[in-house]
Amino acid sequence: MVTEHTSSSPAQVLVASNRGPITYTLGEDGTLDARRGGGGLVSGLSAVDDKLWVCAALGDGDREAVRRGVGEPGVRMLDIDPEVHADAYNGIANSVLWFVHHLLYQTPVEPVFDAEFRRQWASYETYNRAFAEALAREAAEGAAVLVQDYHLALVPGMLRALRPDLRIGHFSHTPWAPVDYFRLLPDDIAEQLLHGILGADRAAFLTRRWADAFIGCCTEILGGTGRTRIGVHGLGADADFLRRRSHEADVDERMAALREQVGEDRKTIVRVDRTELSKNIVRGLHAYRTLLETRPEWRERVVHIAFAYPSRQDLAVYRDYTAAVQSLATEINGAYGTESWTPVVLHVKDDFARSLAAYRLADVALVNPIRDGMNLVAKEVPVVSDHGCALVLSREAGAYEKLGEDAIVVNPYDVTGTAEALHEALTMSGDERSGRTKRLAEAATALPPQQWFLDQLEALRQE
């Protein structure tokens, strides 16, 4: 069953995503507490006043808010059956589509597309259909609808069948798999996913590389992209917000605490990630350990500040990965730490102010994902860095497309090479580091979130 808030008038601009801009928590006394989220999409959509955001009710608090008719203007939460949502979100979106696009499968043993997969795929279809039907009901004649990400890949095709008058866009925030890897999926599922996105007038991606991979899949499997136009919009950092927020009192407090943990006259290597398999945190720690082994002059002179915020802990593979990160950090500290020096300062509790403090302190930023649609951390650190920061960047991050020229680029699988890159970054002269940081910040903020969203909307309306 799907229930939703009703609106008084049809919307001219609609956005659909799994997660919305607000989350409700149900208190023991029955009260509902609302918390607004952040991120590039929330910032981007602030550029448009008259819009409707259609999203899923993700927890008990959200579902209770829908049932009570609690909400805020411009947000429509869909109360999708929790089991259907769990199958669609964890079973398919995060355990299949995410793994395909980030090339994460251990192919000798996975994936296995069996009857259980087909059962979960049916839930994914049901979940997408709920969004398509809600959008069809809420949209004004000829409205613009922007559908977000791999969770809702079938929505454009379903919505096109219901409302051919609409201007429909789909945006992929992840990489897109190369065709040989995409064809791990059952043939009918691969075709269904492509047809789903091709229901849009326009399909857009974070980089030209991901767009070309999508075109390659469509060409190989379907014979082309049909009438769907393909676009690229490289989401950038919100410079004004970051610079303002990074100098507020709570950030200054956390900087003081981090400085105390680091100690006097030591350099810092900073990473800020969710404990997502694709972020490659474990190999990053191995590279740091290799640096300490092969370049003993850095012992007692550098600290690795590693923020690894737990992600998707309802999936066993993610819990295991988080535990592996913690275990390796403990191992490095045990092997190399002294009474006055802790080589790895690891934090696993999400704290945005502390992340900004680390950005400001960083001498080196390590961003080494196996594969990443963009990676905004790579773009944010140069913007708020106090004294300039050398960026060690994986060539498999979408951010590499614009930042690669002024970063120290690494193969994310090459631990030895990453250790050498860290040494190069730590020994970079102040003038060179300052010049690179300035150029990185300019490239990183070329398309801030509001303009990123407005560009998509304008391109969709011009199709």
Side-chain angles (χ1 to χ4, degrees):
M1 175 184 150
V2 177
T3 59
E4 58 189 85
H5 301 163
T6 57
S7 60
S8 55
S9 60
Q12 293 291 341
V13 176
L14 300 93
V15 174
S17 64
N18 175 69
R19 182 179 299 277
I22 192 162
T23 301
Y24 293 95
T25 303
L26 183 61
E28 291 183 8
D29 60 354
T31 58
L32 285 169
D33 180 49
R35 180 184 176 192
R36 293 197 66 82
L41 189 58
V42 173
S43 294
L45 265 65
S46 67
V48 180
D49 292 326
D50 184 18
K51 62 182 178 294
L52 180 69
W53 193 328
V54 178
C55 56
L58 298 183
D60 292 340
D62 288 354
R63 285 188 281 273
E64 183 61 24
V66 175
R67 288 164 192 152
R68 293 184 191 179
V70 173
E72 62 176 66
V75 178
R76 187 80 62 253
M77 275 189 179
L78 307 182
D79 185 10
I80 298 168
D81 180 277
E83 292 185 7
V84 170
H85 184 271
D87 284 342
Y89 182 72
N90 283 326
I92 298 298
N94 289 342
S95 295
V96 175
L97 302 184
W98 182 273
F99 272 58
V100 166
H101 290 315
H102 291 84
L103 317 186
L104 293 177
Y105 280 123
Q106 299 181 61
T107 52
V109 293
E110 58 182 9
V112 177
F113 295 122
D114 54 10
E116 174 62 8
F117 163 77
R118 293 287 174 173
R119 186 193 66 77
Q120 292 181 324
W121 182 258
S123 291
Y124 183 78
E125 292 173 320
T126 299
Y127 165 77
N128 275 250
R129 191 171 298 111
F131 272 84
E133 290 172 353
L135 292 164
R137 283 192 296 271
E138 299 286 355
E141 183 73 21
V145 181
L146 290 108
V147 180
Q148 305 297 311
D149 233 353
Y150 60 103
H151 313 92
L152 302 176
L154 304 182
V155 168
M158 292 175 169
L159 184 56
R160 173 69 62 212
L162 294 170
R163 290 287 304 273
D165 61 293
L166 300 177
R167 307 303 293 171
I168 303 170
H170 185 277
F171 193 91
S172 293
H173 295 262
T174 65
W176 193 271
V179 63
D180 287 348
Y181 206 90
F182 187 73
R183 298 201 85 160
L184 290 176
L185 292 167
D187 291 352
D188 62 316
I189 300 299
E191 291 180 16
Q192 192 178 352
L193 282 166
L194 296 175
H195 280 304
I197 291 178
L198 293 178
D201 297 285
R202 195 167 186 275
F205 299 84
L206 286 165
T207 72
R208 173 49 55 187
R209 181 184 179 187
W210 312 142
D212 287 346
F214 176 76
I215 293 169
C217 288
C218 291
T219 301
E220 179 79 14
I221 296 169
L222 302 180
T225 57
R227 296 182 177 182
T228 303
R229 305 279 70 80
I230 308 300
V232 174
H233 301 275
L235 175 64
D238 188 342
D240 292 340
F241 165 75
L242 288 167
R243 288 175 178 139
R244 181 179 67 253
R245 181 68 183 88
S246 65
H247 286 86
E248 292 181 4
D250 59 343
V251 177
D252 289 336
E253 290 170 10
R254 285 158 176 79
M255 280 188 71
L258 283 173
R259 279 199 187 99
E260 189 173 340
Q261 285 182 290
V262 170
E264 291 293 324
D265 300 322
R266 288 186 177 128
K267 290 186 176 288
T268 58
I269 299 170
V270 168
R271 77 172 307 134
V272 177
D273 284 303
R274 293 175 294 110
T275 53
E276 158 57 51
L277 307 181
S278 64
K279 299 298 185 183
N280 208 24
I281 302 169
V282 169
R283 284 195 192 88
L285 286 168
H286 278 303
Y288 178 63
R289 180 173 195 156
T290 300
L291 174 74
L292 299 179
E293 288 174 358
T294 60
R295 302 278 186 176
E297 66 267 27
W298 286 115
R299 297 176 194 175
E300 302 254 17
R301 292 183 53 220
V302 65
V303 172
H304 186 13
I305 300 175
F307 295 163
Y309 302 141
S311 174
R312 299 176 184 170
Q313 295 299 289
D314 43 357
L315 296 175
V317 66
Y318 283 86
R319 292 194 299 273
D320 292 345
Y321 190 74
T322 301
V325 169
Q326 293 173 303
S327 175
L328 184 51
T330 300
E331 196 178 299
I332 293 169
N333 285 336
Y336 294 98
T338 66
E339 195 172 308
S340 60
W341 173 55
T342 303
V344 181
V345 172
L346 176 69
H347 287 284
V348 296
K349 188 169 188 275
D350 196 349
D351 185 330
F352 184 56
R354 188 171 56 206
S355 297
L356 290 173
Y359 288 179
R360 288 179 58 188
L361 282 174
D363 293 295
V364 177
L366 174 58
V367 181
N368 68 319
I370 293 167
R371 195 168 166 88
D372 212 333
M374 177 55 69
N375 195 295
L376 281 178
V377 171
K379 294 190 169 187
E380 291 168 352
V381 177
V383 174
V384 302
S385 171
D386 278 359
H387 305 294
C389 176
L391 175 63
V392 175
L393 179 64
S394 166
R395 67 191 185 197
E396 298 302 314
Y400 165 74
E401 185 169 271
K402 299 297 183 184
L403 305 185
E405 191 172 327
D406 285 294
I408 300 172
V409 179
V410 295
N411 171 349
Y413 299 96
D414 184 355
V415 168
T416 303
T418 303
E420 283 302 301
L422 291 173
H423 175 70
E424 180 183 345
L426 288 165
T427 54
M428 186 181 291
S429 72
D431 286 346
E432 183 179 357
R433 192 172 68 178
S434 178
R436 287 193 188 213
T437 302
K438 182 179 179 182
R439 293 190 295 273
L440 287 166
E442 288 172 355
T445 56
L447 189 62
Q450 291 194 1
Q451 193 60 49
W452 167 81
F453 183 77
L454 289 172
D455 285 358
Q456 291 177 66
L457 188 58
E458 182 180 0
L460 180 60
R461 285 171 165 166
Q462 289 178 351
E463 290 295 332

